[in-house]
Amino acid sequence: MASKYSLAHKWPFKSIVEVEWIDSLSSNGWRRPEDHHQNMEDTLCKSVGFFVKEDKKFLSLGQSQGLTTGNVADVIHIPKFAILKRRTLK
């Protein structure tokens, strides 16, 4: 069965980006203030997605995109100060 879509269609988001970044941490429960800092380590994350937008504060990557609507879904907004490494894959 032939699809009504072909490889010639123009996807709205073409660039794919990989980002390594440091995530924020949280602790919960009632403890002394100094105990909330026990066993805390940097949380290194890696995200890959379609480049959606970049401004002075954030880099936004989308997980999925729609060909017919031009919409993007599941967008992560990574604070630029948390980014350690970035590369364009496509």
Side-chain angles (χ1 to χ4, degrees):
M1 178 178 189
S3 172
K4 67 179 183 175
Y5 303 109
S6 72
L7 295 177
H9 282 86
K10 303 288 187 210
W11 289 97
F13 302 97
K14 294 174 181 45
S15 181
I16 299 173
V17 179
E18 176 185 78
V19 179
E20 289 185 17
W21 54 285
I22 298 291
D23 199 2
S24 299
L25 303 172
S26 66
S27 58
N28 59 7
W30 288 95
R31 300 182 208 159
R32 294 185 314 246
E34 60 273 14
D35 292 341
H36 281 279
H37 288 266
Q38 289 181 348
N39 302 318
M40 291 180 62
E41 295 183 25
D42 290 342
T43 303
L44 181 61
C45 299
K46 183 182 282 191
S47 298
V48 177
F50 296 104
F51 174 85
V52 175
K53 183 179 179 180
E54 182 174 9
D55 61 22
K56 290 181 181 180
K57 292 185 177 184
F58 295 97
L59 171 65
S60 301
L61 303 177
Q63 179 181 350
S64 302
Q65 61 177 307
L67 178 62
T68 56
T69 63
N71 291 339
V72 64
D74 304 313
V75 176
I76 185 171
H77 308 282
I78 304 170
K80 290 178 80 172
F81 66 81
I83 295 174
L84 300 175
K85 191 188 306 184
R86 169 183 173 174
R87 70 182 178 129
T88 300
L89 301 176
K90 178 181 176 191

